[in-house]
Amino acid sequence: MRIDAYEDPGPPERRGGWSYLAWLVRRQWPRCLAGAVFASVWMVLLAATPYLMARAVDHGLEPGDLGALAGWTGAMVAVGGINAWLGVLRHRTMTKVRMDANFRTVKVVVGHATRLGAALRSQVGTGEVVTIGVGDVQTISASLTAVGPGVGAVVAYAVVGGLMVSVSVRLALVVLLGVPLLALVIGPLMGRLQGRETEYRERQSVLTARIGDLAGGLRVLNGLGGKGLVADAFRGDSGRLREQGYRVGAVTSWIQALGVGLPMLFLALVTWLGARLAAQGRISVGELVSVYGYVVALGWPVAFLIEMGHQLSRGVVAARRVVAFLRLEPPPDEGTREAPAEPAVLHDPASGVRVLPGRLTALATSRPSDATEILDRLGRYTPSDATWGDVPLAEIPLTQVRARILVAAPEADLFAGPLGDVIGAADTYLRGAGSVDVRLRRVGATSHNAPADATKQPVADELAHLSALHAAAAEDIVRALPDGLGTPIEAQARNLSGGQRQRIRLARALLTDPEILLAAEPTSALDAHTEATVADRLRAAREGRTTVLAATSPLLLDRADVVHHLVDGKVAATGTHRELLDTEPGYRALVARDAQDVEPAEEGDPAR
């Protein structure tokens, strides 16, 4: 059975950790059944070897029958060859079982994270999601060895017990009662391990989140001189996690020690009893040899049973964390009214901001957080009384709002991958040397001179990508990279400068061409010349569309049709940039710190 990493994983089980593990088994039950059969036959044949050896001794070696000896020896060789082949099949099948469980869990976690959308950050930390994706997924997939070697161990244990009955009932009872006694000894440790493992995973997720925060804000910490303070706090948290890891390791070490030591004592008892029976003449020499062989063969099932218990104990802890994440739900969407069919006014009563359709509107305030809150209300990321046309935003289905209104956050996530994928470029940009060499390096080339393999992409889509890059003044970024849009970009685009990241985010937002674009400080990290270029191109690219920019840069404000000057989160004055400069001292003081570095544009200057 082939594993399709992109198939629908199906609705996951959310009742609990054990139920989730059972769901993973049910979703691939033919493969799990095959793994259990291969493992069972493999382990049973391990026990068959001493049985055949006993027959070779009793019927061939002891009476001197060379023919019988050769026959039983040949049977052992044949069983060994078959068992080697079964071992390969068992290992392959269980590898596929683990991979399927891995991919399936990743898909349900990523799918649910996508469904949560903007509600994800408010309900769960980044470290929790990372810990699930990096650690818990592997632990869950490893625990599914219980359906292969685990089942095989139970079957082989029962078969060996049955074979021992033919030798001695006393020995068979010792064998059949031995593992339940081992479970009674090790069982409490398994429960204790679950508790320690749960606490360790919780601490690990917190520390993982802090690592991400440190990686993203290291430059800021250096600038503020707070690196040492944060490093000390991280060192303390890391030390506590280490101590918790030691406690988990202590329990694990006891389980592993007892898992090795107790079976050896148990198997030594079986061997001693067998030797006494042989010395008393109650069993033959061949049967004594078979007892020794059965003892050796039992080593595998007993070891697998203990390992199965250990893996299941850890796996159910990881599965509970996945189930807890899958139980998170986004806020209920109770919208039942249709969004305006035509472009309409967006209004935020809390601030007094009115956004006219088809206009470029700017929000200028000394407190950027005020503008961000307004954009979040207009984009329905926070509860509010905002309206769209004459319809309250809260009463419109969220899918309609998201389809037509885009909030471009200044620190929106940039995922790792080729630059073309980061901004949403089509796959054809990344195919073949021709498309990479020509289309990605010569951004701005028209469709008629594209190479043959690039012509598979519809011309309209190609022009949309090129237009977005042009509007964000990002062509130079693509040209400067060694492989153009095919150049690998790190997570959050850490291998690009702040200004480059900002333009990539802007290009990605423009590529979606939303009916309403709400952008916070889209040019704050750019130099004056680049900012002026972006301002002109952005206005042209969004002509006829509704655009709201939160900014204090005079270069952007001068291009706006309407500027709202905000004081304490409310509209204090409204007009054009020039009108507010002439009539509002507070507005003039606000933009002066940016304007002092920019030469005033003369009438007719193209920089305007």
Side-chain angles (χ1 to χ4, degrees):
M1 296 176 60
R2 187 175 65 88
I3 295 176
D4 185 356
Y6 299 100
E7 70 175 352
D8 180 11
E13 180 61 69
R14 305 183 187 187
R15 288 181 297 174
W18 290 110
S19 298
Y20 183 82
L21 294 179
W23 173 76
L24 290 176
V25 174
R26 290 195 304 270
R27 294 299 298 180
Q28 49 173 333
W29 70 265
R31 187 182 293 124
C32 291
L33 178 61
V37 170
F38 289 143
S40 298
V41 177
W42 175 69
M43 288 197 183
V44 168
L45 289 182
L46 288 177
T49 301
Y51 174 83
L52 296 173
M53 185 179 298
R55 295 301 177 270
V57 171
D58 285 343
H59 301 291
L61 185 61
E62 190 172 356
D65 187 346
L66 295 181
L69 180 61
W72 289 111
T73 303
M76 282 192 291
V77 172
V79 167
I82 293 173
N83 224 20
W85 175 67
L86 287 172
V88 171
L89 293 180
R90 175 193 64 82
H91 190 273
R92 284 184 178 179
T93 304
M94 293 313 303
T95 298
K96 290 181 179 180
V97 169
R98 290 192 293 270
M99 290 176 63
D100 184 281
N102 192 312
F103 288 141
R104 199 174 297 276
T105 301
V106 167
K107 282 185 286 188
V108 297
V109 169
V110 171
H112 191 65
T114 303
R115 193 168 72 87
L116 287 173
L120 177 63
R121 292 187 180 224
S122 63
Q123 297 193 52
V124 64
T126 304
E128 178 71 7
V129 180
V130 172
T131 302
I132 289 173
V134 175
D136 292 334
V137 169
Q138 300 294 333
T139 303
I140 289 171
S141 60
S143 69
L144 293 193
T145 54
V147 303
V151 172
V154 174
V155 172
Y157 190 77
V159 169
V160 171
L163 291 174
M164 293 284 279
V165 170
S166 63
V167 178
S168 169
V169 175
R170 183 187 301 177
L171 291 178
L173 289 176
V174 171
V175 169
L176 294 176
L177 294 177
V179 168
L181 291 176
L182 291 178
L184 290 176
V185 175
I186 299 179
L189 289 175
M190 295 293 186
R192 190 174 182 182
L193 176 63
Q194 287 189 28
R196 294 287 173 84
E197 187 83 19
T198 299
E199 185 178 351
Y200 177 79
R201 291 291 185 182
E202 291 173 353
R203 290 181 180 271
Q204 187 181 40
S205 66
V206 172
L207 194 63
T208 302
R210 182 159 296 180
I211 291 173
D213 294 340
L214 285 174
L218 191 57
R219 292 183 180 179
V220 176
L221 289 174
N222 277 330
L224 297 175
K227 184 173 68 173
L229 181 64
V230 175
D232 290 340
F234 179 81
R235 190 177 295 110
D237 289 341
S238 180
R240 285 187 287 273
L241 178 65
R242 183 180 63 247
E243 293 300 323
Q244 183 63 28
Y246 288 157
R247 287 191 284 271
V248 172
V251 178
T252 302
S253 65
W254 273 107
I255 292 175
Q256 292 178 344
L258 292 175
V260 174
L262 291 180
M264 289 302 101
L265 293 176
F266 158 66
L267 297 177
L269 173 62
V270 174
T271 303
W272 179 76
L273 290 175
R276 282 182 57 84
L277 292 174
Q280 295 169 1
R282 298 171 64 179
I283 62 175
S284 67
V285 175
E287 288 175 329
L288 177 61
V289 172
S290 68
V291 169
Y292 292 149
Y294 293 147
V295 168
V296 173
L298 277 175
W300 285 95
V302 172
F304 273 122
L305 285 173
I306 294 174
E307 180 65 18
M308 178 185 70
H310 182 211
Q311 292 291 356
L312 282 176
S313 181
R314 300 182 68 237
V316 74
V317 171
R320 286 170 183 164
R321 292 169 62 85
V322 171
V323 167
F325 177 76
L326 296 177
R327 286 175 177 171
L328 300 177
E329 292 293 337
D333 182 10
E334 300 175 351
T336 57
R337 301 179 62 179
E338 291 295 316
E342 302 293 333
V345 174
L346 267 179
H347 179 222
D348 176 38
S351 63
V353 169
R354 295 180 64 86
V355 179
L356 301 178
R359 301 289 188 88
L360 176 58
T361 303
L363 308 179
T365 175
S366 60
R367 296 192 307 197
S369 60
D370 290 343
T372 300
E373 290 174 3
I374 293 172
L375 296 184
D376 284 343
R377 292 197 291 267
L378 294 176
R380 201 181 148 187
Y381 281 97
T382 55
S384 71
D385 296 324
T387 59
W388 190 5
D390 59 352
V391 183
L393 266 178
E395 297 182 10
I396 300 174
L398 190 59
T399 53
Q400 295 187 26
V401 176
R402 294 287 179 263
R404 297 172 62 182
I405 302 177
L406 173 66
V407 177
E411 297 299 325
D413 290 327
L414 294 172
F415 300 106
L419 179 59
D421 287 352
V422 172
I423 67 168
D427 289 342
T428 52
Y429 281 107
L430 305 177
R431 295 178 187 152
S435 60
V436 172
D437 186 53
V438 180
R439 295 302 293 168
L440 304 191
R441 290 183 176 279
R442 294 174 58 195
V443 178
T446 56
S447 60
H448 67 269
N449 59 12
D453 57 349
T455 59
K456 299 177 183 178
Q457 175 69 22
V459 173
D461 287 350
E462 283 195 1
L463 294 180
H465 292 95
L466 298 174
S467 177
L469 288 165
H470 176 76
E475 309 104 308
D476 62 310
I477 301 174
V478 182
R479 294 193 188 100
L481 295 174
D483 294 318
L485 289 179
T487 303
I489 300 299
E490 297 176 5
Q492 303 300 343
R494 286 190 291 266
N495 54 334
L496 299 179
S497 68
Q500 290 174 327
R501 288 195 293 270
Q502 198 166 54
R503 284 182 284 163
I504 292 301
R505 288 189 178 98
L506 180 59
R508 185 175 63 180
L510 293 173
L511 182 62
T512 64
D513 193 26
E515 178 183 326
I516 301 175
L517 174 62
L518 312 175
E521 300 291 347
T523 62
S524 59
L526 305 183
D527 60 79
H529 174 73
T530 306
E531 187 176 33
T533 302
V534 171
D536 286 329
R537 294 181 181 179
L538 177 60
R539 180 179 176 84
R542 296 290 299 169
E543 187 70 31
R545 296 282 203 178
T546 305
T547 307
V548 180
L549 304 177
T552 56
S553 166
L555 293 171
L556 282 179
L557 297 172
D558 194 31
R559 272 72 170 180
D561 298 309
V562 178
V563 178
H564 293 299
H565 178 216
L566 305 173
V567 177
D568 295 330
K570 298 185 181 297
V571 175
T574 299
T576 66
H577 173 62
R578 299 305 175 98
E579 290 171 350
L580 293 178
L581 282 177
D582 293 337
T583 60
E584 294 292 327
Y587 177 82
R588 187 164 55 248
L590 173 65
V591 301
R593 62 174 179 265
D594 291 325
Q596 65 184 358
D597 297 326
V598 181
E599 296 182 1
E602 297 294 335
E603 192 70 30
D605 189 338
R608 301 181 67 248

